[in-house]
């Protein structure tokens, strides 16, 4: 087999580059998910009881960064704030009903 040859007027394009990453938004989403899981298991809740608060703070900061980064991670930041708020409510409810 012969290797493929390009015509003289064709150029090889560079592979597409990834856009900027918003680490705070990703962290907010991870903390929010952990806070929801931790709200339902009392041994885990004792360790992760304060995780919803950083999820909300990181989500708000990640959302502000998304505006500066042309929207990178905006949906993750919003999801992080939503899961953090849900985790906070579930944690407070589970503390009042279980103990």
């Amino acid at each position: 087999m012969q290797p493929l040859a390009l015509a003289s007027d064709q150029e090889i394009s560079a592979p597409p580059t990834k856009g900027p990453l918003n680490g705070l938004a990703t962290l907010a989403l991870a903390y929010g998910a952990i806070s929801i899981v931790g709200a339902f298991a009392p041994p885990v809740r004792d360790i992760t009881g304060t995780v919803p608060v950083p999820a909300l703070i990181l989500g708000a900061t990640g959302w502000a960064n998304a505006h500066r980064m042309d929207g990178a991670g905006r949906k993750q930041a919003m999801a992080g704030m939503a899961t953090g708020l849900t985790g906070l409510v579930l944690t407070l409810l589970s503390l009042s009903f279980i103990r």
Side-chain angles (χ1 to χ4, degrees):
M1 283 195 118
Q2 293 181 347
L4 296 174
L6 294 175
S8 61
D9 60 342
Q10 291 180 338
E11 294 181 10
I12 298 175
S13 62
T17 58
K18 290 184 178 180
L21 298 176
N22 192 340
L24 293 176
T26 305
L27 216 72
L29 184 58
Y31 276 27
I34 290 169
S35 69
I36 290 174
V37 171
F40 292 111
V44 178
R45 186 185 58 235
D46 293 339
I47 298 168
T48 64
T50 59
V51 172
V53 176
L56 290 169
I57 293 169
L58 288 168
T61 308
W63 192 50
N65 280 351
H67 286 291
R68 282 184 245 127
M69 299 170 63
D70 295 328
R74 181 176 289 142
K75 291 179 183 177
Q76 280 182 329
M78 292 297 283
M81 287 192 291
T83 55
L85 184 61
T86 304
L88 181 64
V89 169
L90 290 174
T91 299
L92 292 175
L93 286 174
S94 67
L95 283 174
S96 64
F97 287 121
I98 292 178
R99 288 187 183 189

